């Protein structure tokens, strides 16, 4: 066979005999270069040698092929290593890039676990973090896991492979988890690993400085030996995971600090607003007080400031009012706020903010400050009122004692106090009827009565003074009023003011007090007798005048007003007889003289019994249906007798 048929790669010619020439290195390396070029598997590098032996090539040729194969495998291994390192570096770079743009910590940790699993070629990868509160680690991210119990595992320090890594801060690897006794097995951890079917496990620590914050794992469901490079790679991912967690913590702390800073700025702004509002409130209230404003002016100003309705009242709900007085703060009551107006432990009333349940601390403080200003105004008013009350009391004392008989001077003094001595007045004697525990309490109760009476006298343009353990009032009487009505109304008003029963006796109306000041003393004695009569009759806490006691009023009245008694008792019958020329008065005399017998009455009058009945019926219409009751009958008989006596005297 000619040399033209010799193969270029040193293979036998068509005749199957080996070429006589020595093989060259290039000829032996050619098939392996082709394998390298197409990235064939390691098993494919055995084929050229096997073919050469099968063709019966020379030992030198086969040795050359084996040498070329060895070199080719080394090159292939180096190329594989470089490709692997390139992929690892690329994955680390991408992870670092994710970390640099960290927005979601969980997303970054998931990416780290996914890439670790992909590069190490494991069935499962997962990451656990340390729980400072419980002192163990818990599963944070898993990739490739299928068992729920495994995904919820918690590993105590020293428990399981992960607990050992967390405790020692060193990587640990096991080829067969259940046969490895270097770490402490627990039922819970082993059950979770068994559910997941894991055999080979590699764990590396996540550290920040000298502190372990978690563990990164790669695991297979079959026995496997993890190489040093793989351990180092997983350690690099763990370092990135630790950096991501640290960055996230720093971001959280930064956000928290920014939030706190914003909150602080808001507080500063709010405080600034509070100071400005407080200053405005102070200025407005101070201006109001300086220009002589009153309690209701304060309420109106605070209503405007709080954008609500604020009222001053003396009758607020007792429980929240007392709570506000004790605590010194406004108290919410349903939809209202109540701020006690008090001074020296004495409750003067309350400021009530209506229908405003939502009240911030600044507005609450404004309401409390307004209550304080109100108490100062009330105290100032009280001081002025007490001075005026003393003056009123001095004038009434002078009238009672008849020390000053100059009508002009009396009128001038009264006019300065808003009183008119030329008007019709009633003198009222008032006294407390509640029991007193001791002398101090009794004195305090009398002071309250005098204060309430003085206030009433001021508002009614009258006078008041303390006298004989009680209070005496001189009040004007209107045309539409009676002494009795005025006495009862005064008893009710004073009793409500002092929270005790107050009994009031009233005189008959008196006039021209400037000209006849001694009439005041007589009227006062009449009022006192009525007061004593009320108490003897068990009518404590009531009010009455002499006219309310029938014929007893003649005994109580200072001027013994007989004509008035007759007029009040039988005046309508007298007037009827005078107008009609009838004989009703004589019929009444006969009727009572005969023992209230119509039959004997008709005999005395010499008229028919029907006439008597008609006359008595007319009397009933004039005097009222109860005119024959024992009490009324007694008064009517007395009035008839007094009428006869006065008529005989005139005649």
């Amino acid at each position: 066979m000619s040399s033209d048929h010799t193969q270029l790669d040193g293979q036998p010619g068509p005749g199957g005999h080996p070429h006589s020439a020595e093989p060259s290195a290039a000829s032996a390396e050619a098939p392996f270069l082709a394998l390298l070029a197409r990235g064939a598997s390691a098993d494919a590098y055995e084929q050229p040698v096997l073919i050469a032996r099968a063709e019966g090539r020379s030992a030198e040729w086969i040795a050359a092929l084996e040498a070329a194969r060895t070199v080719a495998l080394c090159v292939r291994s180096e190329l594989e290593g470089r490709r692997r390192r390139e992929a690892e570096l690329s994955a680390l770079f991408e992870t670092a890039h994710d970390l640099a743009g960290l927005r979601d910590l969980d997303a970054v940790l998931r990416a780290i676990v996914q890439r670790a699993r992909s590069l190490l070629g494991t069935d499962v990868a997962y990451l656990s973090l340390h729980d400072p509160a419980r002192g163990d680690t818990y599963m944070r991210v898993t990739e490739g896991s299928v068992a729920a119990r495994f995904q919820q595992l918690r590993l105590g320090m020293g428990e399981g492979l992960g607990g050992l890594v967390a405790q020692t801060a060193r990587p640990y690897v096991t080829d067969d988890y259940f046969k490895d006794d270097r770490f402490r097995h627990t039922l819970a951890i082993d059950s979770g690993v068994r559910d997941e079917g894991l055999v080979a496990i590699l764990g590396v620590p996540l550290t920040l400085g000298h502190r372990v914050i978690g563990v990164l794992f790669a695991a297979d469901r079959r026995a496997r030996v993890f190489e040093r490079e793989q351990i180092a790679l997983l350690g690099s991912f763990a370092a990135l995971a630790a950096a991501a967690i640290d960055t996230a913590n720093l971001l959280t702390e930064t956000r928290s600090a920014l939030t706190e800073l914003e909150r602080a700025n808001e507080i500063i702004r709010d405080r600034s607003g509070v100071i400005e509002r407080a200053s405005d409130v102070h200025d407005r209230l101070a201006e109001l007080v300086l220009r002589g404003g009153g309690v209701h002016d304060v309420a109106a100003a605070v209503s405007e400031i709080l954008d609500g309705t604020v009222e001053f009242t003396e009758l607020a709900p007792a429980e929240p009012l007392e709570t506000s007085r004790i605590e010194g703060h406004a108290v919410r009551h349903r939809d209202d706020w109540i701020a006690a107006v008090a001074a020296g432990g004495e409750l003067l009333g309350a400021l009530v903010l209506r229908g405003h349940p939502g009240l911030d601390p600044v507005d609450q403080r404004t309401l409390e400050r307004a209550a304080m200003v109100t108490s100062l105004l009330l105290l100032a008013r009280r001081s002025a009122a007490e001075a005026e009350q003393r003056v009123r009391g001095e004038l009434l004392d002078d009238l009672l004692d008849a020390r000053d008989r100059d009508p002009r001077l009396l009128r001038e003094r009264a006019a300065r106090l808003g009183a008119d001595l030329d008007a019709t007045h009633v003198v009222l004697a008032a006294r407390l009827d509640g029991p007193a525990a001791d002398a101090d309490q009794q004195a305090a109760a009398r002071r309250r009565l005098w204060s309430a009476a003085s206030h009433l006298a001021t508002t009614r343009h009258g006078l008041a003074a303390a006298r004989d353990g009680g209070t005496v009032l001189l009040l004007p009487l209107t045309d539409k009023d009676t002494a009795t009505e005025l006495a009862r109304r005064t008893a009710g008003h004073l009793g409500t003011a002092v929270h005790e029963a107050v009994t009031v006796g009233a005189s008959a109306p008196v006039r021209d007090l400037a000209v006849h000041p001694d009439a005041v003393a007589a009227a006062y004695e009449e009022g006192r007798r009525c007061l004593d009569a009320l108490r003897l009759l068990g009518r404590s806490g009531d009010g009455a005048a002499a006219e309310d006691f029938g014929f007893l009023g003649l005994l109580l009245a200072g001027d013994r007003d007989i004509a008035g008694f007759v007029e009040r008792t039988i005046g309508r019958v007298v007037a009827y007889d005078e107008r009609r020329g009838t004989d009703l008065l004589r019929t009444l005399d006969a009727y009572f003289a005969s023992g209230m017998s119509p039959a004997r009455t008709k005999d005395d009058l010499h008229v028919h019994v029907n006439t008597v009945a008609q006359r008595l019926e007319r009397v009933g219409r004039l005097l009222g249906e109860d005119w024959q009751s024992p009490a009324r009958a007694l008064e009517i008989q007395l009035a008839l007798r007094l009428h006869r006596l006065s008529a005989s005297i005139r005649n």
Side-chain angles (χ1 to χ4, degrees):
M1 181 176 298
S2 67
S3 59
D4 295 336
H5 298 102
T6 302
Q7 300 296 314
L8 295 176
D9 58 1
Q11 297 298 321
H17 299 289
H19 199 277
S20 58
E22 289 294 328
S24 66
S27 299
E29 294 170 355
F32 296 107
L33 290 174
L35 292 172
L36 287 170
R38 72 169 186 264
S41 65
D43 296 338
Y45 286 80
E46 296 292 334
Q47 292 301 318
V49 176
L50 294 175
I51 292 172
R53 286 176 177 165
E55 292 178 348
R57 288 299 187 104
S58 64
E60 292 82 357
W61 179 254
I62 291 173
L65 287 174
E66 288 177 343
R69 180 190 63 189
T70 300
V71 174
L73 286 173
C74 289
V75 173
R76 179 183 180 279
S77 177
E78 182 65 24
L79 291 174
E80 285 292 328
R82 291 186 178 183
R83 280 196 295 269
R84 185 173 63 252
R85 284 192 294 276
E86 182 181 353
E88 293 171 355
L89 290 173
S90 177
L92 290 172
F93 176 78
E94 291 175 358
T95 304
H97 182 270
D98 292 343
L99 177 58
L102 178 66
R103 292 294 180 271
D104 183 357
L105 177 62
D106 285 335
V108 174
L109 294 181
R110 280 195 298 271
I112 290 173
V113 172
Q114 290 169 357
R115 287 163 186 161
R117 178 192 178 202
S118 175
L119 289 176
L120 269 66
T122 57
D123 298 322
V124 182
Y126 50 99
L127 182 147
S128 66
L129 291 181
H130 179 59
D131 185 347
R134 297 181 56 172
D136 59 5
T137 60
Y138 64 96
M139 291 291 188
R140 176 67 179 269
V141 181
T142 63
E143 178 68 22
S145 173
V146 295
R149 180 156 55 174
F150 177 78
Q151 296 168 12
Q152 298 171 2
L153 276 180
R154 301 188 73 95
L155 291 77
M157 288 297 180
E159 294 180 353
L161 183 140
L164 185 60
V165 172
Q167 186 179 50
T168 63
R170 294 174 55 190
Y172 272 88
V173 62
T174 179
D175 299 339
D176 192 331
Y177 176 85
F178 291 101
K179 293 181 180 180
D180 198 330
D181 58 1
R182 291 176 300 166
F183 45 83
R184 180 156 55 92
H185 290 264
T186 67
L187 178 61
I189 298 174
D190 286 357
S191 298
V193 173
R194 187 174 288 108
D195 286 353
E196 195 64 57
L198 301 181
V199 177
I201 304 175
L202 166 63
V204 296
L206 280 68
T207 58
L208 287 176
H210 299 291
R211 183 165 56 94
V212 177
I213 63 171
V215 180
L216 179 61
F217 299 88
D220 260 341
R221 295 188 175 93
R222 63 184 184 281
R224 169 177 176 171
V225 176
F226 288 96
E227 299 175 358
R228 185 184 302 274
E229 292 82 359
Q230 293 173 320
I231 297 174
L233 176 61
L234 194 63
S236 298
F237 277 110
L240 289 174
I245 294 170
D246 189 37
T247 302
N249 290 338
L250 290 174
L251 285 174
T252 300
E253 292 175 1
T254 301
R255 293 191 187 102
S256 177
L258 288 174
T259 301
E260 290 296 328
L261 183 59
E262 291 177 358
R263 187 177 296 111
N265 287 332
E266 290 177 359
I267 292 174
I268 291 172
R269 287 194 296 270
D270 290 342
R271 292 303 180 196
S272 177
V274 168
I275 293 172
E276 291 179 1
R277 288 184 61 190
S279 176
D280 178 59
V281 170
H282 179 272
D283 292 344
R284 293 185 64 175
L285 293 180
E287 179 185 359
L288 190 150
V289 172
L290 291 174
R291 72 166 185 259
V295 170
H296 297 291
D297 295 321
V298 172
V302 178
S303 296
E304 183 178 347
I305 293 170
L306 299 183
D307 192 22
T309 300
V310 177
E311 300 173 352
F312 173 77
T313 178
E314 297 178 354
L315 300 173
E319 184 175 349
L321 180 59
E322 182 63 16
T323 302
S324 176
R325 184 188 70 81
I326 293 173
E327 297 180 355
H329 296 293
V331 175
R332 180 177 173 182
H333 177 64
R334 298 176 183 168
D335 288 341
D336 301 337
W337 283 84
I338 297 175
V341 177
E346 181 184 359
L347 193 59
L348 305 176
L351 283 185
V352 181
L353 175 59
R354 304 287 186 188
H356 209 308
L359 194 66
D360 62 39
V362 180
D363 290 342
Q364 181 179 344
R365 182 59 182 157
T366 297
L367 184 62
E368 294 164 358
R369 182 173 296 180
M372 185 182 301
V373 172
T374 301
S375 68
L376 295 175
L377 287 175
L378 288 175
L379 287 177
R381 179 192 294 176
R382 174 186 290 182
S383 298
E386 288 176 351
E388 180 180 338
Q389 288 164 6
R390 284 192 294 272
V391 175
R392 289 178 181 273
E394 291 170 358
L395 175 57
L396 184 53
D397 283 335
D398 287 346
L399 290 171
L400 287 168
D401 298 334
R403 284 195 293 256
D404 192 343
R405 295 183 176 275
D406 184 345
R408 182 184 59 80
L409 183 58
L410 289 174
R411 287 191 182 96
E412 289 178 356
R413 290 175 63 187
R416 285 196 294 270
L417 297 173
D420 181 9
L421 296 184
D422 291 328
T424 301
H425 286 75
V426 172
V427 178
L428 303 108
R431 191 176 301 166
L432 289 166
D433 282 320
D438 53 39
D440 290 339
Q441 289 186 359
Q442 188 175 23
R446 288 176 177 175
R447 284 194 298 271
R448 290 197 302 272
L449 176 61
W450 175 77
S451 178
S454 298
H455 178 71
L456 178 62
T458 301
T459 58
R460 290 290 309 275
H461 304 290
L463 304 174
R467 205 169 185 89
D468 300 324
T471 302
V472 56
L473 298 96
L474 179 67
L475 299 180
L477 186 69
T478 64
D479 295 337
K480 298 180 180 179
D481 219 347
T482 66
T484 299
E485 292 170 348
L486 183 59
R488 289 176 179 171
R489 195 161 57 246
T490 302
H493 180 92
L494 295 179
T496 300
V498 301
H499 306 292
E500 290 187 39
V502 177
T503 306
V504 176
S507 70
V510 289
R511 301 170 180 83
D512 300 325
L513 299 181
V515 179
H516 305 289
D518 52 345
V520 177
Y524 173 56
E525 291 302 323
E526 181 180 333
R528 285 188 62 190
R529 287 194 292 272
C530 288
L531 173 63
D532 293 338
L534 285 172
R535 300 179 72 182
L536 288 173
L537 294 172
R539 291 173 58 184
S540 296
D542 198 359
E547 63 186 27
D548 300 315
F549 294 94
F551 73 91
L552 290 176
L554 293 176
L555 304 177
L556 299 174
D559 57 359
R560 304 294 192 269
D561 184 14
I562 294 175
F565 172 73
V566 172
E567 173 64 24
R568 290 192 300 271
T569 308
I570 60 173
R572 298 184 67 182
V573 176
V574 174
Y576 190 86
D577 276 352
E578 291 176 352
R579 289 196 311 269
R580 302 292 181 90
T582 54
D583 210 6
L584 296 182
L585 285 176
R586 195 163 70 88
T587 301
L588 277 174
D589 270 332
Y591 180 66
F592 285 118
S594 65
M596 301 175 70
S597 168
R600 287 196 295 271
T601 301
K602 60 100 175 171
D603 293 337
D604 289 344
L605 297 176
H606 305 289
V607 296
H608 195 275
V609 68
N610 289 339
T611 302
V612 173
Q614 291 172 358
R615 291 178 180 179
L616 294 179
E617 182 181 356
R618 172 64 61 183
V619 169
R621 286 198 295 269
L622 292 171
L623 299 184
E625 294 180 356
D626 65 338
W627 71 276
Q628 296 189 71
S629 66
R632 289 290 308 280
L634 178 61
E635 291 186 356
I636 292 170
Q637 291 178 72
L638 179 59
L640 288 169
R641 180 166 297 186
L642 292 172
H643 179 67
R644 283 199 307 272
L645 289 173
S646 63
S648 63
I649 292 173
R650 286 195 301 269
N651 294 331

